[in-house]
Amino acid sequence: MTTRKSLGRYRRVVIKIGSALLVDRKTGLKKAWLDAMCRDIAALKAKGVDVLVVSSGAIALGRSVLDLPSGALKLEESQASAAVGQIALARAWSESLSRDEIVAGQILLTLGDTEERRRYLNARATINQLLKIGAVPIINENDTVATSEIRYGDNDRLAARVATMAGADLLILLSDIDGLYTAPPHLDPQAEFLATIAEITPEIEAMAGGAASELSRGGMRTKIDAGKIATTAGCAMIIASGKAGSPLSAIENGARSSWFAPSRTPVTARKTWIAGQLQPAGELHVDEGAAAALGAGKSLLPAGVRKVIGLFSRGDTVAIVGPQGREIARGLAGYDAEEARQITGRKSTEIEAILGYAGRAAMIHRDDMVMTSQIGSKSERQKKDTSYA
Ligand code: GLU
């Protein structure tokens, strides 16, 4: 288990901000709070950390603009509130971040965007591109089209999915709760605060209870669910209160917060997932040279592919079969089966002329691939691929 470290020492951090921190039911957006938050983000970015924000508050802000009465909203009311609130929310983030010359990019996700491989890859590519150019993705669920059956509903779990999608090493859940207690502290005076959670055991889950405030959807339950998603994928998680303002500075200065240890490194967890959880939808048969290149940690290029079997879409898991007819690796296809057939054996520079668009150079990128069988000596394999350790 890695130990808790200063925020500036993480590589990529997802910060989830609860509605109650950003929106006051009567006065609307809490501008001063947001400005202080953005200064904290700028300071973290200045240390070289990639920052992504999952911002709640669209529905709360929209209902305050529309002056809807308090109490539960009907689905169509929350969709309309989100439509009104999201535009204001995104603008507020963009304006506030621009004071530190940081560019914001809005991403609205639905459940399908994170669950379906193809859409997942598209969303991930956009997020990575935004981070590459130094922008801060401001992410929310696309509540205007989400219906109750096909939605996250809470941004805690959405933020955890975003963290795994972006390969983040830290997820910070900011709300009005400062961490995990052995029992709900407002109901049980004996409740003890837990500063470090090494593993999310059934006992930890039992402590979560249910309570959520009126403005937000998530309670401790969804935070623990988020913790399971994040830590399994090798991402640490912090639950902290943002109520006092400048929450990142507060965490750095030792304010009370709960830290959940990551269980593995992100790449290993992700590759384990690729290798273990999905049924391959097709096969790519490769030549000797390509097999050796994969063993050395390279991506699979179309030039090394000899045959494409099956019907798969970009983002589906496919098996990579070596010259001896054995599966040697698995990965997420960078092309649909039909396109893959067309570029089989061809140079990456020819892709555009063949397909009519500049696709990815690799048939399967090495980040999307895991070796499933030995190439070369055992010790060599262990050196190159620790995901099966
Ligand atoms: N997506 C919702 C909104 O922006 C918030 C969900 C939550 O509170 O977790 O209003």
Side-chain angles (χ1 to χ4, degrees), residues 16 19 55-60 140-141 143 153-156 216-218:
K16 181 261 169 175
S19 300
S55 176
S56 301
I59 297 174
N140 196 359
E141 183 161 15
D143 293 311
D154 67 273
N155 276 357
D156 294 326
S216 70
R217 300 250 180 72

Side-chain angles (χ1 to χ4, degrees), residues 8 39-51 100 102:
R39 278 196 296 278
D40 269 2
I41 290 174
L44 194 55
K45 271 178 67 62
K47 291 180 180 149
V49 182
D50 290 337
V51 178
D100 284 292
I102 296 171

Side-chain angles (χ1 to χ4, degrees), residues 31-99:
K31 184 82 173 57
W33 189 93
L34 179 62
D35 286 344
M37 181 74 230
C38 288
R39 278 196 296 278
D40 269 2
I41 290 174
L44 194 55
K45 271 178 67 62
K47 291 180 180 149
V49 182
D50 290 337
V51 178
L52 299 91
V53 172
V54 173
S55 176
S56 301
I59 297 174
L61 191 55
R63 74 183 289 168
S64 119
V65 172
L66 295 171
D67 214 7
L68 297 178
S70 57
L73 294 176
K74 293 201 208 80
L75 176 65
E76 22 339 329
E77 286 172 331
S78 56
Q79 288 172 326
S81 297
V84 171
Q86 183 62 36
I87 200 166
L89 189 65
R91 178 171 170 198
W93 274 106
S94 169
E95 280 179 3
S96 197
L97 282 169
S98 73
R99 291 152 52 116

